[in-house]
Amino acid sequence: MTDILLAHGSRHPRAAEGLEELRAAVTFRTGRPTRVAYLDLQQPLLADVARPGDTVVPLLFTDAFHTRHDVPAATAGLGVRVTAPLGLGDDIAAVLRPRVQPGAVLYAVGSSMPGANQDVARLAAQLGTDVAFATCSPRYSSGSGPVIPLFVTYGLLLDRVPGAQPLAAELAPVVAHRILHR
């Protein structure tokens, strides 16, 4: 059995780099074989690597379109176990908390599903930060404070914030817990 980290996929040239950092850190924590697969834009797609009995961890923060539609469609009929996605719970807040500093802004992709954006705003309030999105209001502007990116890996939307670093391997404890306690 293999654990599969399921990412959306990106055209960014360094996207696979951040996911490889996370994969290696998860493998170290779990001692189990771990691979990366994608929903779109990159190879391999989930259907190309998944086998019955594998565990799939969706690397998604919000309960929005990709979580509700793309993941179920990609996993249908594969015989895999799907864990909860990363989400926006206390475990993610604990990962983000060391990055919090005065005037910080939690920066996320944003969703056309308003409830998803409200969930990100609640997490920002829990952390004591402002919130900004790449694709919807309130949008990030270069005059905003220090950024806490809610991004697993490098991506075109993260590049809009000079110097912002993805979470990558910092998410390993959360992902390993999803795998070991599914």
Side-chain angles (χ1 to χ4, degrees):
M1 304 298 168
T2 300
D3 301 320
I4 301 172
L5 310 183
L6 182 60
H8 179 271
S10 172
R11 291 181 180 90
H12 194 280
R14 294 183 66 196
E17 177 184 327
L19 290 166
E20 176 55 25
E21 290 173 15
L22 177 57
R23 187 210 58 77
V26 168
T27 297
F28 178 79
R29 284 180 168 272
T30 64
R32 298 162 51 126
T34 307
R35 297 189 65 169
V36 174
Y38 302 93
L39 289 168
D40 195 15
L41 303 175
Q42 285 177 265
Q43 299 293 323
L45 296 176
L46 180 62
D48 297 332
V49 298
R51 302 292 173 258
D54 287 350
T55 299
V56 175
V57 181
L59 300 178
L60 301 168
F61 292 105
T62 60
D63 183 23
F65 186 83
H66 298 305
T67 302
R68 291 182 184 196
H69 300 282
D70 290 343
V71 171
T75 58
L78 296 179
V80 297
R81 297 181 198 126
V82 182
T83 73
L86 294 174
L88 297 168
D90 292 341
D91 51 356
I92 295 298
V95 169
L96 299 175
R97 200 162 276 113
R99 292 186 179 211
V100 173
Q101 54 186 301
V105 175
L106 181 63
Y107 175 64
V109 171
S111 174
S112 60
M113 299 180 77
N117 297 334
Q118 291 167 350
D119 291 343
V120 174
R122 276 192 284 282
L123 176 60
Q126 179 183 348
L127 294 169
T129 69
D130 288 328
V131 66
F133 299 100
T135 62
C136 59
S137 188
R139 287 194 186 268
Y140 171 78
S141 69
S142 59
S144 300
V147 169
I148 304 167
L150 193 60
F151 286 75
V152 174
T153 191
Y154 301 96
L156 299 174
L157 296 175
L158 186 58
D159 281 354
R160 294 179 181 180
V161 181
Q165 295 297 306
L167 297 170
E170 293 173 60
L171 293 166
V174 175
V175 174
H177 188 267
R178 297 283 187 286
I179 290 167
L180 297 172
H181 299 95
R182 59 185 177 330

